[in-house]
Amino acid sequence: MKKLFLLSLVLICSNSFFGQTVKTPSIENASKEVQQVAKKEKAAAVDVAKEKKKSAEVKAEKTKGDVKASSQQVKETTSKTVTKVEDKVTGEFKGKKVYTGPKGGKYYLNEKGAKVYISDKK
């Protein structure tokens, strides 16, 4: 029994003296690592911001070109399709010329140049 006791005591003591030790990083090393990681993250964020800005500028230039092209197309189509049909003079009403519009409405122009429509009931 004594031998077993002594053997276990020696085993416990040997493990405590010859056990592996773990080296813990010091606070200074940890703070340096944190600063390095922060710098890397900041640089990455700046790069991402620059890329977003460049892509936004490219999109803006592209849309400017698209707007110019579409405005030119609109001008061309409006100049081609707009043909003004002059109203025909069809008679007189109260001493003024009576005009007939493209849809068949009859009117005359008053002193101010505004159209005054004539009802069919008269």
Side-chain angles (χ1 to χ4, degrees):
M1 187 74 170
K2 286 183 181 181
K3 288 184 181 181
L4 188 59
F5 179 73
L6 285 174
L7 184 60
S8 63
L9 184 64
V10 168
L11 183 63
I12 291 172
C13 291
S14 67
N15 281 342
S16 64
F17 288 119
F18 297 110
Q20 294 180 354
T21 58
V22 177
K23 185 177 181 181
T24 58
S26 66
I27 295 174
E28 293 173 1
N29 290 340
S31 66
K32 287 180 183 177
E33 290 176 10
V34 168
Q35 288 175 353
Q36 290 174 350
V37 169
K39 285 181 184 178
K40 288 180 183 178
E41 289 177 355
K42 185 177 180 181
V46 168
D47 291 341
V48 168
K50 286 181 181 178
E51 289 176 18
K52 285 184 179 180
K53 183 179 178 183
K54 285 181 182 178
S55 65
E57 289 174 353
V58 168
K59 287 180 183 178
E61 289 180 19
K62 188 175 184 181
T63 53
K64 283 181 184 178
D66 293 343
V67 168
K68 287 181 181 177
S70 63
S71 66
Q72 287 176 351
Q73 289 174 350
V74 168
K75 287 179 183 177
E76 290 173 2
T77 55
T78 55
S79 65
K80 290 178 184 176
T81 58
V82 175
T83 55
K84 188 173 182 180
V85 177
E86 292 185 21
D87 298 338
K88 296 178 183 178
V89 177
T90 56
E92 284 191 16
F93 181 76
K94 295 183 182 179
K96 308 222 182 206
K97 292 181 182 178
V98 175
Y99 298 93
T100 302
K103 294 184 180 179
K106 295 182 179 182
Y107 64 92
Y108 66 91
L109 300 175
N110 65 4
E111 296 83 23
K112 294 183 180 180
K115 294 179 181 178
V116 178
Y117 285 90
I118 303 169
S119 63
D120 293 330
K121 293 180 182 179
K122 291 186 179 179

